[in-house]
Amino acid sequence: MLNHSDTLDRAFQALADPSRRAMVERLARGPASVSELAAPLAMTMAAVLQHLRVLEASGLVTTAKQGRVRTCAVDVEAFGAVQSWIDARRREWESRLDRLTRHLIDHPEMPSRKDPK
Amino acid sequence: MLNHSDTLDRAFQALADPSRRAMVERLARGPASVSELAAPLAMTMAAVLQHLRVLEASGLVTTAKQGRVRTCAVDVEAFGAVQSWIDARRREWESRLDRLTRHLIDHPEMPSRKDPK
């Protein structure tokens, strides 16, 4: 539970930066080399590598080196943990709204219907 | 665009803490007073209020005071921005996997089928 919580801490923290989200947006469309990842970003390679380290530490992105090229990819499972947490919250309030709606259908008495006139 | 990015920065940052996520988990089940929100958390009221301020600043939680009671609720729209970003990434890689699958169906030649023997 603590580990899962820690995973979510690091994943949400990693996503709280526009450059890192831009990198995840690029990688969601397919794996890319570090150079491809850096190309559209207006920052130094050192800054790109620093953001990449945060993404790797969060588990959201994995990298693998083949020869001189390091290829980066989204870790679908780690991303799934974030998505599951978000989806669970949505299901909860949707279920609450369903219960409220059913209650209003079962108890349609509105104050105006109790009008004494 | 900058504003939207800033909204996501603050929302993801707010969710990068287990106590704040616990508060959002509670509020997804329905609005609660600050005392109700604080009850299950092992922390001082000052710490609860500090986390609540971060959640309010992120837009994920709204609070309204009636008399002496401050009621907190999840802002479904702000939460929706986070959810949309996550869902868009999932759609992108699912669409990429679909393309890969179609490619493999259309081009079923496997190396073993080219076996010269």
Side-chain angles (χ1 to χ4, degrees):
Chain A
M1 183 63 189
L2 183 65
N3 284 345
H4 179 65
S5 174
D6 196 44
T7 301
L8 285 176
D9 285 3
R10 283 182 282 124
F12 281 122
Q13 183 67 58
L15 294 175
D17 178 276
S19 303
R20 290 197 291 266
R21 284 199 304 279
M23 291 164 84
V24 172
E25 286 167 13
R26 168 62 190 84
L27 295 176
R29 296 195 292 271
S33 69
V34 176
S35 311
E36 287 169 335
L37 208 51
L41 301 171
M43 59 175 70
T44 63
M45 183 54 86
V48 170
L49 291 173
Q50 177 56 37
H51 282 308
L52 192 54
R53 272 194 290 272
V54 175
L55 286 169
E56 268 196 284
S58 78
L60 290 175
V61 167
T62 57
T63 74
K65 200 163 185 178
Q66 272 206 318
R68 291 167 56 91
V69 177
R70 180 172 292 278
T71 302
C72 313
V74 167
D75 184 304
V76 176
E77 199 173 327
F79 207 89
V82 172
Q83 200 182 340
S84 297
W85 188 86
I86 299 281
D87 286 351
R89 304 294 78 75
R90 179 181 54 184
R91 278 197 303 275
E92 278 168 348
W93 75 60
E94 281 179 352
S95 137
R96 183 172 67 88
L97 290 180
D98 283 350
R99 285 197 304 275
L100 275 173
T101 306
R102 272 200 303 275
H103 180 82
L104 289 174
I105 289 170
D106 294 346
H107 303 83
E109 308 81 17
M110 298 293 284
S112 62
R113 299 184 61 180
K114 291 182 184 169
D115 191 342
K117 282 187 191 167
Chain B
M1 183 62 190
L2 184 64
N3 284 344
H4 179 65
S5 173
D6 196 44
T7 301
L8 285 176
D9 285 4
R10 282 182 281 125
F12 281 122
Q13 184 67 58
L15 295 175
D17 178 278
S19 303
R20 290 197 293 267
R21 284 199 304 279
M23 292 163 84
V24 171
E25 285 167 14
R26 167 62 189 84
L27 295 176
R29 296 195 291 273
S33 69
V34 176
S35 311
E36 287 168 335
L37 207 52
L41 300 172
M43 60 175 71
T44 63
M45 184 54 86
V48 170
L49 291 173
Q50 177 57 36
H51 282 309
L52 193 54
R53 272 193 290 272
V54 175
L55 286 169
E56 266 195 284
S58 77
L60 290 175
V61 167
T62 56
T63 74
K65 201 164 185 178
Q66 273 206 317
R68 290 166 58 90
V69 177
R70 180 172 291 280
T71 302
C72 314
V74 167
D75 185 304
V76 176
E77 199 173 327
F79 208 90
V82 172
Q83 201 183 339
S84 297
W85 190 85
I86 299 281
D87 286 350
R89 303 294 79 74
R90 179 181 54 183
R91 277 196 303 276
E92 278 168 346
W93 74 60
E94 281 179 352
S95 136
R96 183 170 67 89
L97 290 180
D98 283 351
R99 285 196 303 276
L100 275 174
T101 306
R102 271 200 302 276
H103 179 82
L104 289 174
I105 289 170
D106 293 346
H107 302 83
E109 309 80 17
M110 298 294 282
S112 62
R113 299 184 63 181
K114 291 182 184 168
D115 191 341
K117 283 187 194 170

